[in-house]
Amino acid sequence: MNEMDIKPWLIRMSQGDEEAFRAVYDFTRDQAYGLIYYLAPNKQDVPDIMSEVYIELIKSLDNYEQEQKFSSWFNGLIIRQVRNWKRKSWRRSRMLERVKGVFSEPPPLALEDRVSLLSDRLELIPMLEALPLKLKEVVVLRYYQDLTLEEIADLVKVPIGTVKSRHHHALKRLRHMYGQRDHRKERDGYVY
């Protein structure tokens, strides 16, 4: 299914057709999951964020303009939902810190957070995770979604110069982290 094939389904979906929603979901779920996976602060949150994205898709479908490229509009919706989720989790973590001050034992969520930090052992994923969200967004959209810097600027609603700067800083940090990893391997005596 291509961009033109989805537009009739979107119209039917806006009219409440459940079959149309399933078709749109089937068409977009892999793209949505991949983008959310790379941008989500915690990997265990990906299914919840996915649900939030599709709830928001239903709510905001009236804001979609037919002449606009759907995939760009949908990517913007995903980014906003990941940002919203991160804000919510930041608020939750602040509340948990306050609760920790009241109770002597830390809440069980702290253990889950530690486990999620250890869950991704691939070489690039942890480095990507170490980047701030704004830098991570640019890298994921550029290299995972194959968007141009101009498209990214449109999508995240910042000037092209800001996107170029974020792109530059993200790549510089990734190169530095990758170099540190090689240096550690040499120091430890491992040859790969």
Side-chain angles (χ1 to χ4, degrees), residues 6 37 88 131:
I6 198 169
Y37 182 83
K88 287 177 191 174
L131 293 176

Side-chain angles (χ1 to χ4, degrees), residues 81-134:
Q81 289 308 307
V82 170
R83 285 179 179 173
N84 289 344
W85 188 268
K86 187 173 180 183
R87 260 192 304 276
K88 287 177 191 174
S89 59
W90 179 78
R91 287 183 192 127
R92 280 191 299 259
S93 69
R94 296 256 329 222
M95 289 179 10
L96 282 174
E97 287 175 18
R98 290 180 185 159
V99 169
K100 283 181 190 178
V102 175
F103 298 104
S104 59
E105 283 186 42
L109 186 61
L111 177 63
E112 291 176 17
D113 287 340
R114 280 185 259 138
V115 170
S116 73
L117 291 174
L118 299 173
S119 67
D120 292 322
R121 296 222 177 248
L122 297 174
E123 290 187 37
L124 188 57
I125 300 291
M127 291 178 209
L128 190 61
E129 290 300 318
L131 293 176
L133 181 62
K134 290 180 180 183

Side-chain angles (χ1 to χ4, degrees), residues 58-76:
I58 292 169
K59 288 180 184 177
S60 62
L61 194 57
D62 293 337
N63 299 334
Y64 171 67
E65 297 170 13
Q66 292 293 326
E67 60 275 353
Q68 187 178 10
K69 188 174 176 184
F70 176 74
S71 60
S72 296
W73 180 82
F74 189 59
N75 284 339

Side-chain angles (χ1 to χ4, degrees), residues 176-189:
H176 179 72
M177 286 186 269
Y178 196 77
Q180 284 182 332
R181 178 197 62 96
D182 284 343
H183 181 68
R184 277 193 306 269
K185 285 180 183 176
E186 288 174 11
R187 191 180 64 226
D188 294 340

Side-chain angles (χ1 to χ4, degrees), residues 25 29 32-33 36 45-55:
Y25 176 78
R29 74 173 168 221
Y33 185 87
I36 293 167
D45 294 338
V46 172
D48 294 328
I49 298 172
M50 263 298 262
S51 299
E52 294 287 328
V53 164
Y54 284 98
I55 290 169

